[in-house]
Amino acid sequence: MRTERLVARAWPLPLAWLMLQLLLLGLGLMSLAWNLVALVLHPLLPRTLGLRVGRAGISRGYRLFWAVARASGLLHMDARALRPLADERGLVIVANHPSLLDALMLVAQLPRSACVMKASLRRNPLLGPGARLARYIRNDSARQMVQLAIDDLRSGGQLVMFPEGTRTTRAPINPFQGGFVLIAKRAGVPVQTVFIDTTSPYLGKGWPLWRLPPLPIEFAVRLGRRFEPGPDLAVSLQEIERYMAAGVRTPPRRADP
């Protein structure tokens, strides 16, 4: 990390800004390319094979993005803590949500995982094919979303969820929504808590894509406790929310460059 910090500080600010925008542009182009591939594969592959290929493709694409970002010295993510979970079957993974990059961090290390997506994005001809191939969970109906998630978990998948519902706006976390507890209870699977730590405001709520943050941008992932939802879902939700609120690290933000 010391070497990467020195590399980041060696970038003149205009070039650092340009490189950061190129990283995001590269991510967008890579996503577009994979969606075109997925558009062709979706009608050709059986459901089970398509699901595996779709999720593995998304995971590997995000891992490539993080490798390039790390090589630049500008953006670093340490998610080694997630490796023991990669092959585990039937698990709801919940995390705090400080940045737009959070899902990319988790899915990059969890090739079995699915996410809940807005139905409008899943139907989008440019963004949706990859999600449809991976059988990500659509949220057009709460009841249908819960059932699709349960079916996926029972078949050995993982579900990544951010119970705050949006990026964190109130330290340490926003109030939790309880859908993940209901899904875990009905599917008969545990809830694994995950903490995303960062000192950077980059792509947090209200942070525009074009604004250069303090460099380097650093994220780290920690595993928290694992919970088995009890018969009273409200009590289980409160227990998990209190635990997450107490465990989130909120160090002082660094000043803008």
Side-chain angles (χ1 to χ4, degrees), residues 7-8 10 13 45 48 54 95 114 120 124 133 136 151 167 200 213 215 226 234:
V7 171
L13 290 182
L45 298 181
T48 301
S120 59
N124 186 295
L133 180 64
Y136 278 9
D151 292 343
R167 284 165 288 167
S200 176
L215 299 173
R226 185 169 293 193

Side-chain angles (χ1 to χ4, degrees), residues 7 14-15 29 42 51 62 68 97 107 111 136 141 150 170 195 218 222 248 251:
V7 171
L15 290 181
L29 292 175
H42 186 264
L51 182 152
Y62 288 162
V68 174
H97 197 7
V107 173
Y136 278 9
S141 160
I150 290 170
R170 187 180 72 186
F195 295 100
E218 299 171 2
R222 293 179 286 125
V248 169

Side-chain angles (χ1 to χ4, degrees), residues 15-29 65:
L15 290 181
W17 179 89
L18 178 61
M19 183 60 189
L20 199 55
Q21 304 312 307
L22 289 175
L23 284 172
L24 295 178
L25 177 62
L27 176 64
L29 292 175
F65 166 75

Side-chain angles (χ1 to χ4, degrees), residues 189-210:
V189 302
V191 174
Q192 173 66 58
T193 57
V194 168
F195 295 100
I196 299 173
D197 300 324
T198 182
T199 60
S200 176
Y202 186 57
L203 297 185
K205 199 71 170 179
W207 189 275
L209 287 172
W210 51 262

Side-chain angles (χ1 to χ4, degrees), residues 30-247:
M30 184 169 58
S31 175
L32 178 60
W34 175 248
N35 275 281
L36 293 175
V37 173
L39 184 64
V40 176
L41 293 180
H42 186 264
L44 300 177
L45 298 181
R47 184 186 188 281
T48 301
L49 178 58
L51 182 152
R52 288 204 307 268
V53 171
R55 294 184 186 181
I58 292 172
S59 178
R60 290 179 182 178
Y62 288 162
R63 289 177 71 177
L64 175 61
F65 166 75
W66 285 107
V68 174
R70 180 174 183 173
S72 75
L74 300 176
L75 202 159
H76 176 261
M77 180 267 293
D78 182 358
R80 289 172 292 180
L82 295 174
R83 290 176 184 171
L85 307 181
D87 295 320
E88 192 165 347
R89 299 170 65 87
L91 188 64
V92 174
I93 299 161
V94 299
N96 58 309
H97 197 7
S99 166
L100 276 177
L101 298 174
D102 300 335
L104 277 66
M105 284 184 264
L106 302 188
V107 173
Q109 302 296 323
L110 301 170
R112 302 183 66 90
S113 64
C115 299
V116 176
M117 286 192 68
K118 291 182 178 179
S120 59
L121 290 178
R122 204 172 181 275
R123 291 191 295 265
N124 186 295
L126 295 179
L127 302 176
R132 292 196 295 272
L133 180 64
R135 271 66 182 188
Y136 278 9
I137 312 299
R138 60 184 184 272
N139 73 344
D140 44 350
S141 160
R143 185 172 183 177
Q144 185 181 48
M145 180 199 75
V146 169
Q147 190 56 55
L148 288 171
I150 290 170
D151 292 343
D152 191 80
L153 289 164
R154 286 177 175 170
S155 66
Q158 298 175 345
L159 181 64
V160 170
M161 297 191 76
F162 299 99
E164 293 175 84
T166 185
R167 284 165 288 167
T168 305
T169 57
R170 187 180 72 186
I173 55 175
N174 302 332
F176 275 11
Q177 301 174 8
F180 74 95
V181 179
L182 175 63
I183 290 169
K185 179 64 177 177
R186 291 191 178 176
V189 302
V191 174
Q192 173 66 58
T193 57
V194 168
F195 295 100
I196 299 173
D197 300 324
T198 182
T199 60
S200 176
Y202 186 57
L203 297 185
K205 199 71 170 179
W207 189 275
L209 287 172
W210 51 262
R211 186 178 178 189
L212 183 67
L215 299 173
I217 305 159
E218 299 171 2
F219 296 94
V221 176
R222 293 179 286 125
L223 291 187
R225 278 179 54 194
R226 185 169 293 193
F227 293 82
E228 298 283 349
D232 190 325
L233 298 184
V235 171
S236 295
L237 175 63
Q238 291 172 4
E239 182 184 10
I240 296 171
E241 182 176 345
R242 284 196 299 266
Y243 171 76
M244 292 285 291

